Structure formats: structure tokens, C-alpha cells
Amino acid sequence: MKRMQLVLLHSVFILLFSTGMNSASAKEPFQTLVQACTELNHQYAFARDQGDVAAYERIFSDDAEFIMQGKTYVGKPAILTRLTGGEVRYFARLLIGTVAITPLNEFSAQGVTYFTMFQAEEGDDGSQLPISSFTTFMGEYHDSYEFESGTCRLSRRETKPLFMGTAEAN
């Protein structure tokens, strides 16, 4: 009887231990994916603020879509033109808040990121600091991500504005 109890206990232990190991192993790629895609959002903000075209380009997949204010930019060249183009130059700071990433499988995920942007036109001589009048824009990015070889890239980003307005600093 004791031997049977010992064998049963041993079997339960093996089953629990192996299930736990499989669970941890299965979650590992998802944890790495979530961390990489969360970090990508912060890299996006910094690249955008600095006008770093090379860093901005690495953030998107080759055939990515970026949707903003009803306009869709498809592919890296169009997305990069959105960053670098335009007649009016702006000084801006993009602040990333909540980032919620949901893995779909070990190669893709979806997410929602809250952001706040402060933006002002640059002066003719490039002087804009300190800024006393600016536009505030708060919204959400609704994203699709691709994950390969430890690298996360945006395959789709849609901007959903929630609050917009101008402010005067006192």
C-alpha cells in the first residue's frame, strides 16, 4: 500500500512539474514578444521626436500601414514621408503612457497604447523654447505587431484621437 501511495505521489509530482515547465516554456516567447513590442512604442516616440528617420524606419515592417486623421500611409516610404514631409515644421514631444499588448501567437500581437503629444510651430530662426502656446493631443494607438528573431515591428498603426486643444502657458 505504501509503495502504491509513493508511486501515485511521484506520478502526481511529475505531472505537476512537467505541466509547470511546459507552461513556463510556452509563456516565455510571449513575454519576450510583449517586452519587445512595449519597448518599440518608446523607441517610436523618441525617433519621432528627434526626427531620426533611420530609427523610425526600423520600427515599421516593409508593408506597414499608418492611419492618421483618416489618411492611410502604406509602406515605409509613405510612412517616412509623413515624418519628414510638410511645409510647417513642428517641435513636439510624444509621451507614451499605458501600453497593453496581447499576443495572438508567438509571431504577432495586437495592442493599444495611450499617448499625449505636445506640439508647437517652430520659429523662423529655430527658436521655440520655452514654448508658451501649444497644441495638446491625447489619444490611442491601435496597433498590430510582427515579431521575428527577437525584433518587434509595427505592421499597422491607427491613431484614434480622444482630446485635442490649444493651451497657453502661464
Side-chain angles (χ1 to χ4, degrees), residues 49-98:
D49 287 350
Q50 301 304 311
D52 186 340
V53 176
Y56 197 75
E57 181 178 22
R58 288 189 299 271
I59 289 166
F60 293 93
S61 66
D62 290 338
D63 58 349
E65 292 182 352
F66 188 98
I67 303 162
M68 185 172 189
Q69 297 175 335
K71 183 164 178 154
T72 302
Y73 303 86
V74 179
K76 281 186 184 183
I79 294 169
L80 294 174
T81 298
R82 187 205 151 271
L83 175 68
T84 59
E87 295 174 16
V88 178
R89 301 301 302 167
Y90 291 96
F91 177 82
R93 285 298 179 257
L94 176 60
L95 309 176
I96 299 296
T98 300

Side-chain angles (χ1 to χ4, degrees), residues 18-169:
S18 66
T19 302
M21 289 300 287
N22 289 339
S23 259
S25 297
K27 289 181 181 177
E28 162 47 31
F30 294 124
Q31 290 172 344
T32 302
L33 181 151
V34 169
Q35 289 170 346
C37 294
T38 299
E39 178 58 30
L40 182 77
N41 280 283
H42 297 287
Q43 292 169 9
Y44 172 87
F46 195 73
R48 193 234 171 270
D49 287 350
Q50 301 304 311
D52 186 340
V53 176
Y56 197 75
E57 181 178 22
R58 288 189 299 271
I59 289 166
F60 293 93
S61 66
D62 290 338
D63 58 349
E65 292 182 352
F66 188 98
I67 303 162
M68 185 172 189
Q69 297 175 335
K71 183 164 178 154
T72 302
Y73 303 86
V74 179
K76 281 186 184 183
I79 294 169
L80 294 174
T81 298
R82 187 205 151 271
L83 175 68
T84 59
E87 295 174 16
V88 178
R89 301 301 302 167
Y90 291 96
F91 177 82
R93 285 298 179 257
L94 176 60
L95 309 176
I96 299 296
T98 300
V99 179
I101 308 289
T102 304
L104 301 175
N105 55 49
E106 60 186 285
F107 303 108
S108 64
Q110 292 181 330
V112 175
T113 301
Y114 296 174
F115 70 89
T116 304
M117 179 180 281
F118 298 90
Q119 179 175 293
E121 279 189 43
E122 284 187 355
D124 290 336
D125 61 358
S127 64
Q128 69 274 356
L129 298 175
I131 295 171
S132 59
S133 178
F134 53 91
T135 299
T136 305
F137 179 36
M138 189 277 164
E140 299 174 355
Y141 291 127
H142 289 239
D143 299 323
S144 295
Y145 302 94
E146 295 176 359
F147 185 70
E148 186 177 345
S149 301
T151 301
C152 183
R153 286 192 170 62
L154 283 166
S155 57
R156 185 174 193 276
R157 170 158 275 185
E158 183 172 359
T159 303
K160 304 245 179 176
L162 299 176
F163 301 94
M164 288 185 79
T166 56
E168 297 290 328

